[in-house]
Every structure is written in C-alpha cells, then in structure tokens.
Amino acid sequence: MDSEEGTQQPQLVLADKLFLLTHPDVNDLDKVRLREEVLEAVVSNDMVPLYETLVSNGVLSLDQKVLDSMRTKNSDELKKINDKIADAEENLGESEVREAHLAKALFYIRIGDKEKALEQLKVTESKTVAVGQKMDLVFYTLQMGLFDLDFDLISKSIDKAKKLFEEGGDWERKNRLKVYEGLFCMSTRNFKKAADLFLDSISTFTTYELFPYDIFIFYTVLTSIITLDRVSLKQKVVDAPEILTVIGKIPFLSEFMNSLYECQYKSFFSAFAGLTEHIKLDRYLQPHFRYYMREVRTVVYSQFLESYKSVTIEAMAKAFGVSEDFIDLELSRFIAAGKLHCKIDKVAGVLETNRPDAKNALYQATIKQGDFLLNRIQKLSRVIDL
C-alpha cells in the first residue's frame, strides 16, 4: 500500500469507484464504465474476498473461471511468502524476518483480506523495534479502515499512533497523521477539528496516498467555511497562498469562498448549487450532505443579518436572488431550530434581529451555575447533618 508522491493509493481509488457504482445520482453509462474498472482492479490484484462480496451483493456477475484463477494465484503466492518467512527465520537476521512478515501483511492487504491482514500486521509489529516503522504499520491499518470506513478501527489506530509519537517519531509522519485524523473527523461530522487539522497541514502536505492536493484543499475550504469566523477565514483560507495556487482547479470553489467573504450572496448561491454535486458524490462527505447544506446556509444568513437591526424580506430575497416565499420558509425553519437570532414580522414584511448580548448570556449562565452549586451544597449539608 505504499504510494509514490502524487499518487493515490490504489485500494482507496477502488473504494471511491465502488461508492460511485452504487450511487443513485450516477448515470447508467458511467456505471458501466465504473463496473469495468472495478472488475479490472479486483482481478489484477486477485482480490478474492472482495470479488465474492461484490458478487453476493449483485454488483458484479460471477465468473467461476476468473474466481478459480485468482484463488490459484493467491495460493501459489502465499506459499512462496511462507517459504521466504521460514528461510529468513532459519538462516537470516531479525530485519529480514520482519521484512518477510511485512510482505505477507501487504499481500493480505492487496487481496483485500482485512482480518488476516490485521493479524499479520500485529505479527510484524511484534518483530519491529523502530518507532517510525511501527508508525508505517499504523498507516497501513488506517488505510484499510478508510477503505470500508471502519471508524472504530480508524479511531483506535489514531490513538495508537499518538501513543507511539510519545516515544519519538519524525515530523513528516506526525504531519501525515494530522491529515488522517482530519479526514476521520470530517467523516464523523467533527468539522471544527477537521478544519484545524487540515489548516495545520496545508504547507506540509505529503499524504498523497489518501487524495491529491486539490481534493485536500477542497476539504479544507469546505470545513473552514462553516467553522471559522470572518477574520480567521480571511487570514487562514481566503489569503492563504497554498490555497490560492490550487483553488482555481476545483469548479465553483473559488467563487463559493470569495463570494461568501465579499458578501456577494447571489453569486454565492449560484456557486453553492454547483458545489452540491461534488459534495454528493464524495465518499466521505455524502453522509453529511444535508447537515452541511444547513450549516452553510446558517453561516450565510447569519452573516447577512449581522449587518442589520431590521431588514425587509424583499431586500434579503433580492440580495440572494431567490423569491420572498423561499426566504420566508427558509428563515422560519432556522429560527424555529434556534440557528438564527431574529423574528419575522409577516404583516410588515420585515425581519428584526435580536442577537443575544454576550455579557448578558454570561451573566445568566453564571447565575444558573451558582444556583446549581448552592443546591449541591444544601444537599451535602443535609447528608453531613445526618
């Protein structure tokens, strides 16, 4: 699963294609092409376990000759690897033994046998001394977890990697781990932490095995827009040279980011509509599509209303290039959900903002916590009196 700089790891490319192959929004013609590419990738890597799963799910059709051929190849290759391990244990040193066991783990990873790969990685780890090499084994585990989005395995592997870094480890691997953790956070809807980790990794990005740099920038901008305030967004994203050099390669993303910052709301909605397809067809973002749509709209509506004490619905609808009925319906939902601090005067056709006073909110919270503390003290005093 090693990956040259600039090359995405083949199994993760395959995972993306499998996701698109079962996606309802992908047209049938593209699915024919994707099915051929998936079959070619599975057969060329002799991925028997995955082939059987895809056949049972109806994604691929069973070809017994192909299946038997893959099984024979795997059996022959496994015999050669086991012979190398036996030879290394009898005649060679510890380093050669470790390399032989690692080759067996990589074989199981390549053919998609997750359980045996994890077992073999444990065996390899037991014969590994260097922290850097142990970290590389964790990265293999993380890539397997990302293939089928096994969040439990990913979470445990990230925790394990952090413990290893307490023993040492180089900065290059630490920076790579930030991107893995950021991707995990984004995939589990922790957009704030994901944005922080991605922004920390912009200038040191080397994690090409996960995705190309432009996709990394795509994730960085999307997570930053819904989590950063305007000042931070300007400093870390809008003016970031690393982002500016790449953002033009991604359709609609530059307009999406800049129109939000420059308060060009009509252009923002137009770019946002174009980006929705990219988000829908992304394996990591698609489960959070509706949530992300809501959060972006909350950000943009809040930013617009921030400038006014009151504004007409007509003026807001005109600014966004939508109908008054649409704005009325949209805002009523967000107000009811507590996402926007304003109220609608339907008769006058006016929106009145009622932004909470930060000092007053802090005062109320302090009183509430004080009452809670007094109640606890009273209960404790009763127990002591008894």
Side-chain angles (χ1 to χ4, degrees):
M1 281 178 97
D2 283 327
S3 182
E4 293 178 10
E5 185 172 310
T7 306
Q8 191 178 2
Q9 202 278 322
Q11 270 81 349
L12 294 181
V13 174
L14 176 59
D16 290 338
K17 289 177 179 177
L18 285 170
F19 168 75
L20 293 174
L21 189 55
T22 56
H23 199 291
D25 290 348
V26 176
N27 65 58
D28 292 340
L29 198 61
D30 285 336
K31 284 187 177 181
V32 171
R33 174 183 55 80
L34 285 165
R35 190 171 283 106
E36 289 173 357
E37 290 175 359
V38 165
L39 180 61
E40 183 184 352
V42 169
V43 173
S44 63
N45 288 297
D46 302 314
M47 303 177 80
V48 172
L50 180 60
Y51 183 81
E52 291 173 334
T53 301
L54 294 176
V55 167
S56 65
N57 292 339
V59 177
L60 295 178
S61 302
L62 176 63
D63 186 328
Q64 194 60 48
K65 286 184 179 178
V66 170
L67 182 59
D68 291 341
S69 172
M70 287 193 292
R71 282 175 174 162
T72 302
K73 286 180 184 176
N74 286 344
S75 179
D76 292 343
E77 189 169 348
L78 188 60
K79 185 178 182 304
K80 289 178 183 176
I81 291 171
N82 285 330
D83 289 343
K84 281 186 179 178
I85 291 173
D87 179 55
E89 287 176 342
E90 287 179 21
N91 305 312
L92 302 171
E94 292 179 359
S95 176
E96 288 79 6
V97 170
R98 179 196 175 276
E99 289 302 314
H101 278 287
L102 177 59
K104 188 173 182 179
L106 295 178
F107 164 74
Y108 283 131
I109 290 171
R110 196 198 80 216
I111 67 170
D113 195 329
K114 185 177 173 183
E115 287 185 18
K116 288 183 179 177
L118 290 172
E119 288 174 13
Q120 191 57 37
L121 283 171
K122 285 180 182 177
V123 173
T124 308
E125 186 185 4
S126 68
K127 300 180 183 301
T128 304
V129 177
V131 174
Q133 290 180 331
K134 286 184 178 180
M135 269 304 309
D136 290 338
L137 299 179
V138 175
F139 285 130
Y140 289 131
T141 308
L142 283 167
Q143 288 166 23
M144 278 192 290
L146 288 169
F147 178 82
D148 57 359
L149 297 181
D150 183 343
F151 294 127
D152 184 52
L153 177 63
I154 296 168
S155 178
K156 288 176 180 175
S157 299
I158 289 170
D159 291 340
K160 184 177 180 179
K162 287 179 178 178
K163 287 178 182 175
L164 282 172
F165 280 137
E166 291 174 7
E167 301 173 21
D170 58 87
W171 282 105
E172 192 268 337
R173 288 185 175 92
K174 285 183 180 179
N175 289 326
R176 283 177 65 200
L177 182 65
K178 283 183 183 179
V179 179
Y180 278 87
E181 188 178 2
L183 183 57
F184 167 69
C185 291
M186 186 184 76
S187 303
T188 52
R189 205 176 283 185
N190 188 350
F191 290 114
K192 173 64 178 166
K193 190 173 182 181
D196 291 340
L197 289 164
F198 286 155
L199 288 167
D200 281 348
S201 309
I202 281 182
S203 58
T204 56
F205 180 84
T206 56
T207 323
Y208 295 99
E209 69 271 18
L210 292 185
F211 33 63
Y213 190 61
D214 57 339
I215 298 297
F216 170 68
I217 294 299
F218 174 66
Y219 292 152
T220 304
V221 172
L222 289 187
T223 53
S224 297
I225 275 177
I226 62 170
T227 56
L228 298 182
D229 58 68
R230 273 179 65 81
V231 175
S232 299
L233 188 69
K234 174 74 169 170
Q235 291 174 345
K236 297 180 179 180
V237 181
V238 176
D239 290 341
E242 295 90 353
I243 290 176
L244 291 173
T245 55
V246 178
I247 197 168
K249 297 179 182 178
I250 306 151
F252 304 107
L253 190 61
S254 178
E255 189 182 356
F256 177 70
M257 178 184 74
N258 290 314
S259 58
L260 173 65
Y261 185 76
E262 294 166 5
C263 304
Q264 302 294 325
Y265 300 112
K266 196 180 290 187
S267 299
F268 174 83
F269 259 37
S270 174
F272 188 34
L275 267 184
T276 54
E277 286 304 309
H278 294 276
I279 298 169
K280 266 188 197 175
L281 298 177
D282 187 276
R283 189 164 68 98
Y284 305 108
L285 287 171
Q286 189 270 339
H288 315 293
F289 175 70
R290 291 173 67 84
Y291 173 84
Y292 187 81
M293 293 278 284
R294 284 197 303 272
E295 289 301 302
V296 168
R297 276 144 57 208
T298 301
V299 168
V300 72
Y301 293 147
S302 297
Q303 179 174 292
F304 178 85
L305 293 169
E306 190 76 25
S307 307
Y308 301 96
K309 187 168 179 63
S310 65
V311 63
T312 63
I313 296 174
E314 181 187 1
M316 187 169 180
K318 191 175 180 181
F320 282 91
V322 296
S323 68
E324 291 180 37
D325 289 339
F326 176 82
I327 283 291
D328 183 38
L329 182 62
E330 277 275 272
L331 295 186
S332 60
R333 287 174 180 165
F334 284 102
I335 292 167
K339 294 279 188 180
L340 293 176
H341 301 290
C342 66
K343 59 182 180 180
I344 302 173
D345 185 341
K346 187 71 173 173
V347 177
V350 172
L351 293 164
E352 295 180 6
T353 59
N354 54 354
R355 290 184 291 277
D357 184 350
K359 286 185 179 179
N360 189 45
L362 183 61
Y363 174 71
Q364 294 296 334
T366 305
I367 290 174
K368 191 175 181 180
Q369 289 170 357
D371 288 342
F372 177 73
L373 180 61
L374 285 171
N375 288 335
R376 292 292 299 271
I377 291 170
Q378 285 173 354
K379 286 179 182 177
L380 184 62
S381 67
R382 291 193 203 107
V383 172
I384 293 170
D385 288 343
L386 290 172

